[in-house]
Amino acid sequence: MSHDHSHDHDPLEKGTALRVRALEELLVAKGLVTSEALDTVISHYENNVGPRNGASVVAKAWVDADFKARLLADGPATLEALGFKGFQGEHMRVIENTPDVHNMVVCTLCSCYPWPLLGLPPAWFKSMSYRARAVSEPRAVLADFGVAVPADTSVRVWDSTAEVRYLVMPMRPAGTDVLNEADLAALVTRDGMIGTALV
Ligand code: FE
């Protein structure tokens, strides 16, 4: 059967979505949560929290070498001082792309992700194929995202867990010396901070 749309046919993801819906319906039926409360939480992470937080951190690091050093050395304390902490962000670590190393992030077990910096993970981040292939053939996955990492740049894959969640600091693009911090932040994309895009 042919489709003209591009969702991935992943039986496990479909099963997970069904289980989540069943769980939500059960919790609501038992009076333990309300659908409105769940919608409020989801809306908060979709709208108030999101990749712009991470982008602001990256841009600040690009313009402030002292901040960058502290951020790389002690992510949790440095991020908490900016107010980035809490649910799904208990221990966030920032890793820096350089001409020698390109970093990318996966959660092979499930979908651990630094919510306070990036919001909710995209569907592809949770897909079985990304979680498996990011580890076994990272360069092929990057190619699928349109990212060609030079042969002499090594690719390092970081496996997130509930304990440690990673954010990639992309390299500051050449020719951006005249840009201020806000303009720089606008260049930083969500996928760039997962490591599946370049900035
Ligand atoms: Fe996970």
Side-chain angles (χ1 to χ4, degrees):
M1 190 167 71
S2 74
H3 289 44
D4 59 2
H5 55 259
S6 64
H7 62 238
D8 54 3
H9 291 261
D10 188 327
L12 184 63
E13 297 303 311
K14 201 171 160 195
T16 303
L18 283 173
R19 281 163 188 264
V20 168
R21 188 147 60 86
L23 184 61
E24 177 180 341
E25 282 173 6
L26 185 64
L27 290 170
V28 170
K30 296 244 179 211
L32 295 171
V33 300
T34 64
S35 289
E36 292 74 26
L38 289 174
D39 287 346
T40 300
V41 170
I42 291 167
S43 167
H44 174 68
Y45 280 97
E46 279 182 345
N47 300 309
N48 305 341
V49 176
R52 298 340 300 161
N53 287 348
S56 72
V57 171
V58 169
K60 187 174 175 60
W62 281 348
V63 300
D64 182 341
D66 288 343
F67 173 78
K68 178 176 161 181
R70 283 185 280 121
L71 181 66
L72 295 174
D74 188 350
T78 310
L79 291 164
E80 190 167 344
L82 294 176
F84 300 125
K85 59 179 179 177
F87 191 52
Q88 306 282 315
E90 286 80 2
H91 190 109
M92 297 184 286
R93 186 168 163 203
V94 179
I95 44 185
E96 183 187 18
N97 280 350
T98 69
D100 295 326
V101 182
H102 177 86
N103 297 286
M104 71 188 271
V105 179
V106 65
C107 175
T108 55
L109 272 181
C110 43
S111 57
C112 297
Y113 193 72
W115 288 21
L117 295 176
L118 293 183
L120 300 176
W124 57 259
F125 187 83
K126 299 184 273 188
S127 72
M128 286 292 286
S129 66
Y130 179 76
R131 285 156 49 200
R133 293 180 60 225
V135 174
S136 63
E137 45 174 354
R139 280 179 194 272
V141 171
L142 288 170
D144 287 348
F145 277 92
V147 176
V149 176
D152 58 351
T153 299
S154 54
V155 175
R156 192 175 294 164
V157 179
W158 299 78
D159 193 359
S160 294
T161 67
E163 278 77 44
V164 187
R165 295 151 196 271
Y166 300 99
L167 182 89
V168 175
M169 182 195 301
M171 284 191 285
R172 180 172 174 165
T176 57
D177 292 356
V178 296
L179 297 186
N180 64 26
E181 195 173 323
D183 290 339
L184 287 167
L187 300 177
V188 182
T189 62
R190 178 196 68 194
D191 291 1
M193 294 179 282
I194 302 174
T196 51
L198 301 176
V199 171

